[in-house]
Amino acid sequence: MTQIIDGKKISQEIKEEVKAKVEALQAKGIVRTLAVIQVGNDPASAVYVNNKKKACAYVGIRSLSYELAEETTQEELLALIGELNQREDVDGILVQLPLPKHIDEDRVLLAISPEKDVDGFHPMNVGNLSIGRPGYVSCTPAGIIELLKRSGIAIEGKECVVLGRSNIVGKPMAMLLLRENGTVTVCHSRTKDVKEITRRADILVVAVGKPMLVDETYVKEGAVVIDVGIHRDAANRLCGDVNFERVAPHCTAITPVPGGVGPMTIAMLMKNCAEGCR
Ligand code: NAP
């Protein structure tokens, strides 16, 4: 029978572990603080920011909220980040993406001190991941490794295929699977005969951003399939990049949408904040 990987349950376990860690730090007089910056009023971003603040409150991390107007200039945002970088009482800085068009995202991510870059997007942390040094790791792919490990799925020696090569999911995912001794192939929009490659995968991670693109013709019998995508279908229900109904019967294990990868991202953000670099 196909194992449905329960991201809700696993993310809750991680949040409980983080809560215990934060309490232990508090007992020693150490308070972890996350600064969350949102620029503009994008409704989806507001929901994400609110969920992050709620998670902080749950695990006992202090959150500082900066809700900046849409017309905030790049210089003003960089000045705030500079100030937060200097503050001894701030452990993590998170800038909610996307930013308004007049602000250069790369410039902003580069301005966050790598020691406070709890999203793991700074080139220094990306570089550390690729050469096997410690540092913050992008939360969604780090959460996928936790999902696999805590579901008893071994990575070592497995054929791992990552569909998608974005900087926040696909590429760090590939580096993490490699770190776990998987044999990793990355596919993207220019890959020839994608299905021939994905059908070799023991573990297939799908992060293409295309609703229900992956059906059973992409999947080897008995594979583990991890679906990173989040979309709304025509009936306004949440769905992923994988056609769950058609793929699940062919898998050993699969993540659903919702309730798979999604809840892991915030749990891993909390873990990053609690561990901190200080
Ligand atoms: P993205 O930046 O749009 O990247 C998509 C990647 O998929 C690109 O590398 C693209 O190739 C590749 N691709 C597109 N169509 C393809 C096809 N037909 N065959 C093979 N490769 C194809 O997306 P992302 O930021 O990685 O996000 C992917 C999905 O995950 C989205 O649905 C997003 O909403 C979701 N997401 C969820 C979470 C979470 O917490 N659960 C977090 C982040 C993202 P090229 O590079 O050649 O263009």
Side-chain angles (χ1 to χ4, degrees):
M1 216 177 69
T2 307
Q3 177 188 358
I4 310 296
I5 299 174
D6 189 345
K8 241 172 133 178
K9 178 165 157 274
I10 296 172
S11 67
Q12 190 59 35
E13 276 167 26
I14 292 172
K15 280 196 269 182
E16 295 308 328
E17 290 163 17
V18 171
K19 199 172 177 190
K21 177 161 188 139
V22 169
E23 276 164 12
L25 287 170
Q26 273 163 356
K28 292 191 217 159
I30 300 166
V31 175
R32 289 281 188 236
T33 300
L34 173 68
V36 182
I37 305 173
Q38 187 191 350
V39 186
N41 325 308
D42 175 50
S45 291
V47 171
Y48 290 134
V49 164
N50 204 28
N51 287 343
K52 287 169 188 174
K53 288 194 284 197
K54 275 204 273 195
C56 281
Y58 182 78
V59 300
I61 291 171
R62 184 171 73 122
S63 65
L64 304 176
S65 185
Y66 295 88
E67 283 157 25
L68 309 182
E70 178 84 24
E71 54 275 14
T72 301
T73 65
Q74 179 164 305
E75 287 62 39
E76 286 166 332
L77 179 56
L78 292 175
L80 172 61
I81 292 169
E83 189 191 303
L84 294 168
N85 280 341
Q86 294 301 320
R87 273 177 62 170
E88 291 268 321
D89 66 329
V90 172
D91 302 280
I93 303 170
L94 184 150
V95 178
Q96 185 62 45
L97 302 179
L99 289 167
K101 293 215 164 25
H102 63 278
I103 298 178
D104 177 353
E105 252 172 40
D106 288 343
R107 179 76 192 78
V108 169
L109 296 180
L110 200 59
I112 298 171
S113 161
E115 287 82 34
K116 298 190 178 188
D117 167 42
V118 284
D119 260 335
F121 294 162
H122 191 285
M124 175 86 89
N125 284 321
V126 175
N128 281 337
L129 172 63
S130 62
I131 59 169
R133 282 170 54 110
Y136 287 116
V137 176
S138 181
C139 299
T140 302
I144 291 170
I145 296 291
E146 288 292 328
L147 277 183
L148 291 170
K149 286 186 172 173
R150 291 175 189 238
S151 303
I153 296 161
I155 302 168
E156 184 161 330
K158 297 282 176 66
E159 279 284 347
C160 304
V161 175
V162 181
L163 201 48
R165 59 170 166 182
S166 71
N167 289 340
I168 61 167
V169 186
K171 283 181 195 148
M173 187 73 250
M175 296 314 302
L176 284 172
L177 290 165
L178 193 57
R179 192 165 85 177
E180 298 295 332
N181 300 315
T183 301
V184 184
T185 308
V186 181
C187 299
H188 46 78
S189 66
R190 316 283 174 89
T191 301
K192 286 189 187 130
D193 205 352
V194 169
K195 290 184 189 180
E196 194 212 316
I197 297 166
T198 58
R199 278 200 300 260
R200 294 204 301 255
D202 300 312
I203 299 175
L204 175 63
V205 180
V206 185
V208 281
K210 300 267 156 66
M212 305 222 262
L213 175 84
V214 170
D215 61 16
E216 71 280 14
T217 62
Y218 284 76
V219 178
K220 177 171 86 174
E221 206 62 35
V224 172
V225 176
I226 305 292
D227 186 356
V228 186
I230 310 177
H231 313 275
R232 294 241 169 229
D233 68 11
N236 205 32
R237 282 177 311 222
L238 284 173
C239 69
D241 288 346
V242 174
N243 186 325
F244 184 89
E245 300 301 326
R246 288 175 60 174
V247 171
H250 301 275
C251 300
T252 305
I254 185 168
T255 57
V257 177
V261 173
M264 295 301 291
T265 303
I266 288 188
M268 296 309 287
L269 175 68
M270 295 301 109
K271 192 165 190 273
N272 277 352
C273 293
E275 282 170 1
C277 277
R278 281 201 298 168

